[in-house]
Amino acid sequence: MAMPRVTADPTGIEQQLERVLRSRIFERAQRSQRFLRYLVESALAQPPVVPKEFTIAIDVFDRDTSYDPSVDATVRVEASRLRSRLREYYDEEGRDDPWLIEVPKGGYAVVLSERTPTESTPALGQPRMAAWAREPAPKAIPSPAAARKIGTAAYLSAACVAILVLGALFALRRERSPKPAVMASPPVSLAILPIANRTGDPALNYVTDGLTDDLIRQLSQVPALRLMARTTMFRYRDRSGDALAIGKALHVDAVMTGELRRNPDHLVMSVEVSRTADGSVLLDHEYIAGVDDLRIMQAEVQQDLITRLHLESSALDPGRKLHSVTSSPQAYQEFLEGEALSRSAAPLDLHQAIAHFERAVALDPQFDLAWSGLASEHVLLGLYFEPPREHMPLGRQYAERALRINPSLGEAHGSLGLIHLVYDWNLPAAEADMNSAGAETAAVSSLACTAHLMERSGKPHRAEEMLEGMLTYDPQSAALISELGCVDFYRGNYDAALRHYRDALEADPQTPVAYWGIGKTLNAERRYSEAIGVLRSFKQKNGFEPPLLIAETGYALGASGQREQALKVIRSLTDEGQHIFVDPYLIAVVYASMNARPATFSWLNKALQVRSSFAISLLSDPKWQTWRNDPQFAALVEQMLHSGTR
């Protein structure tokens, strides 16, 4: 095992460590502070120590001896986050510091060295490269300094966003080592298992699922409480009997189970919260509600959880008080039914969800979450199924209405950010909304490759750090793993992209995102035959084929010289367009693979006319690399950007 490498004076390193920990980037990142101090003190120990993952988990992150790194990715996630913060620190505040602290990938050995003048990062004021059209597609991960030089349109290239149909609707032995400095207590972690419907009425599944969702959503606003993500928790549906085992596997402090039963005149929900360390019961209570009013029960459960977990003093987001989300019991019931339908990938279900949300806001015009739900459903329809011009303006209207009621509502900021991104083509406005708390999570759950925006917004490694943090709460999310693949794809790091997309496919064999990601990455490497095989295997396994995968297959056929087969794909897409909305951009992509320029430009212009959600891909997708020196292509992109920011 590699030992820590120290080529600097220990006193100087200790001073450097304090300088890093006091920096803007680290000042509020207590977990990264604690981790970095621990690693540096290990390196300076006599003899030097390279801690193992198991030891770090126990000494730094308060795990117990049952820690299993194959289940809990906390150390790896925090190491990635620490590396990102160090890169950002030395790229900004620490660019002229005399000593360098590094934690190379592949282990936890610290490299401590004195820097020479040539190692200093260029000043932030250096001019950036202009003319996105002259910027070649990268073949390696750019350094932080190089990433800042990417030109205006590279920044604008949130392109990875435009992508997926149907799918995006979709976290040993102990050794002796230096003890870390005492830091503030970490948040209490809680897993809320799906509430079981024991009423005998399957029609009430929407109630139990909705209550589970709402508890996770509301309690996630408590700063001192860390909630496991809904997508992770619903993998454990109907496994409440294994609650303690699940809690230990997820390394949470407590786990909640609940059951809904029906008495003659009302509904009864029994809730139990247990401490995973010893199985002791923290809360065991029954809550009674009328069938037509579930709001009070929801609010009582939330308050009791806060009390029993001793979180009363934790300040809440000022934009959201922890109480019932609406004044109308009927509106709340409509909202729960709409949310249940919104999880579907079927357009008909999304339209039905809209009808429920519309009834909810009619009953309570101040119901911010219902307005946000309306925005989200219209955005999804405009992204994947129907003409954007029919839905994106409505999505904007409803998101803005939700934000007038609750300016801090992350879901609404996420919807508005996506509209700015893929409909307005206004990247500065999109970034402003994505920076709101919770907006990134909401946007990523709606659209593949949203995180790519952060990578191109002048914040190198921000996308990767954000996704690694989200994976802490949802460690088996195929969507989040695919997002990592997308970030690496647009960095030109195709090996890493393929690895992430294949991991996502293993996590969810039915998601089209992973198939598309593998296919487009193989196409970028000119491995066309392999790409065609992967893309076509989706239909073989699932019985249908989204237009995006059809178009990616057509691109591989055209690029590999199989012109007649590529034209056949175009005919199938245009025929399908007689019955459903098929984005013109997808047809343009197939023509582009054959270098059929007049037809390509014709279909690209049609894509701009319908305000295609895929058009943003023109800015950075490797498919268009050889086109960016074409004056006609440059003019088309300038037209798009001008229409998006005026």
Side-chain angles (χ1 to χ4, degrees), residues 43-294:
L44 295 178
Q46 294 298 326
V49 175
V50 180
K52 292 184 178 180
E53 181 174 347
F54 180 78
T55 309
I56 294 169
I58 294 172
D59 288 349
V60 180
F61 301 113
D62 303 312
R63 297 297 192 245
D64 58 32
T65 54
S66 67
Y67 175 78
D68 182 353
S70 66
V71 175
D72 188 339
T74 295
V75 176
R76 297 190 297 279
V77 168
E78 291 296 337
S80 177
R81 187 174 298 168
L82 174 60
R83 294 182 184 107
S84 294
R85 288 196 169 105
L86 283 171
R87 285 192 295 263
E88 190 172 353
Y89 170 77
Y90 282 109
D91 191 42
E92 297 178 7
E93 293 176 68
R95 62 183 178 271
D96 296 321
D97 284 4
W99 287 281
L100 185 66
I101 303 176
E102 297 176 286
V103 185
K105 286 187 176 182
Y108 306 103
V110 174
V111 175
L112 309 170
S113 57
E114 190 168 3
R115 304 171 81 192
T116 62
T118 58
E119 291 178 306
S120 297
T121 306
L124 289 173
Q126 281 191 338
R128 300 184 181 187
M129 295 179 68
W132 58 269
R134 296 191 296 272
E135 184 71 30
K139 284 301 293 179
I141 300 176
S143 68
R148 280 205 313 275
K149 296 182 181 179
I150 296 175
T152 302
Y155 149 60
L156 296 176
S157 72
C160 166
V161 282
I163 341 254
L164 107 87
V165 175
L166 301 171
L169 301 174
F170 351 161
L172 322 237
R173 296 163 297 276
R174 186 166 186 174
E175 299 177 357
R176 293 181 55 84
S177 49
K179 293 295 180 184
V182 177
M183 306 296 288
S185 299
V188 175
S189 53
L190 174 67
I192 298 178
L193 292 174
I195 297 167
N197 177 11
R198 306 298 189 209
T199 65
D201 183 0
L204 290 178
N205 284 340
Y206 79 89
V207 172
T208 52
D209 287 355
L211 288 170
T212 305
D213 276 343
D214 212 27
L215 282 170
I216 293 173
R217 177 195 293 113
Q218 292 278 81
L219 290 168
S220 67
Q221 298 169 63
V222 180
L225 187 59
R226 181 172 71 88
L227 271 295
M228 296 303 293
R230 176 197 177 276
T231 49
T232 290
M233 300 321 304
F234 272 80
R235 295 189 183 101
Y236 299 103
R237 186 191 290 275
D238 298 324
R239 289 184 56 188
S240 58
D242 301 328
L244 287 179
I246 293 169
K248 290 179 179 178
L250 295 172
H251 290 285
V252 294
D253 300 309
V255 61
M256 184 197 113
T257 60
E259 292 185 352
L260 188 70
R261 303 188 308 277
R262 185 196 292 275
N263 284 353
D265 301 320
H266 48 253
L267 294 174
V268 177
M269 186 166 74
S270 58
V271 170
E272 182 176 297
V273 179
S274 302
R275 198 190 310 273
T276 55
D278 56 12
S280 59
V281 176
L282 301 174
L283 173 65
D284 185 2
H285 192 70
E286 288 191 344
Y287 301 85
I288 299 175
V291 177
D292 296 328
D293 191 355
L294 303 167

Side-chain angles (χ1 to χ4, degrees), residues 7 9 63 100 124 140 162 170 200 218 243 255 296 307 410-411 490 550 577 602 636:
T7 61
D9 175 67
R63 297 297 192 245
L100 185 66
L124 289 173
F170 351 161
Q218 292 278 81
V255 61
I296 297 173
T307 301
E411 296 97 320
Y490 279 90
I550 297 173
S602 174
L636 184 141

Side-chain angles (χ1 to χ4, degrees), residues 270-485:
S270 58
V271 170
E272 182 176 297
V273 179
S274 302
R275 198 190 310 273
T276 55
D278 56 12
S280 59
V281 176
L282 301 174
L283 173 65
D284 185 2
H285 192 70
E286 288 191 344
Y287 301 85
I288 299 175
V291 177
D292 296 328
D293 191 355
L294 303 167
R295 302 164 306 136
I296 297 173
M297 180 168 65
Q298 170 242 25
E300 288 178 348
V301 174
Q302 290 173 181
Q303 191 56 56
D304 284 352
L305 280 168
I306 288 176
T307 301
R308 297 305 176 92
L309 294 172
H310 304 291
L311 303 173
E312 299 93 331
S313 61
S314 176
L316 298 176
D317 179 344
R320 160 82 57 201
K321 294 180 180 179
L322 203 61
H323 53 46
S324 181
V325 294
T326 174
S327 61
S328 166
Q330 292 80 17
Y332 186 58
Q333 190 156 338
E334 292 286 354
F335 173 74
L336 292 181
E337 293 195 54
E339 274 215 317
L341 287 162
S342 71
R343 301 184 193 104
S344 169
L348 178 60
D349 287 339
L350 299 182
H351 280 285
Q352 290 178 347
I354 285 173
H356 284 291
F357 290 139
E358 286 175 340
R359 288 193 285 271
V361 297
L363 290 162
D364 179 5
Q366 296 302 305
F367 196 171
D368 55 349
L369 289 175
W371 286 112
S372 181
L374 275 170
S376 177
E377 303 315 290
H378 279 290
V379 168
L380 291 172
L381 286 167
L383 284 172
Y384 305 124
F385 303 111
E386 297 173 10
R389 288 185 182 273
E390 294 181 8
H391 293 283
M392 294 303 189
L394 289 173
R396 186 199 317 278
Q397 175 186 333
Y398 297 139
E400 290 175 344
R401 178 66 180 268
L403 291 171
R404 284 198 295 273
I405 299 168
N406 179 5
S408 66
L409 189 59
E411 296 97 320
H413 278 293
S415 292
L416 199 55
L418 288 178
I419 293 168
H420 288 319
L421 186 64
V422 301
Y423 185 76
D424 297 337
W425 305 317
N426 186 337
L427 280 297
E431 184 190 356
D433 271 295
M434 293 296 186
N435 282 338
S436 174
E440 294 164 336
T441 303
V444 166
S445 69
S446 297
L447 182 65
C449 289
T450 299
H452 183 52
L453 174 64
M454 304 309 299
E455 185 75 1
R456 300 304 190 196
S457 64
K459 298 176 181 177
H461 310 287
R462 175 68 176 87
E464 184 178 33
E465 179 179 343
M466 177 190 77
L467 293 168
E468 294 284 10
M470 292 167 68
L471 278 163
T472 303
Y473 304 95
D474 197 0
Q476 298 178 30
S477 168
L480 294 178
I481 298 169
S482 291
E483 285 281 297
L484 287 172

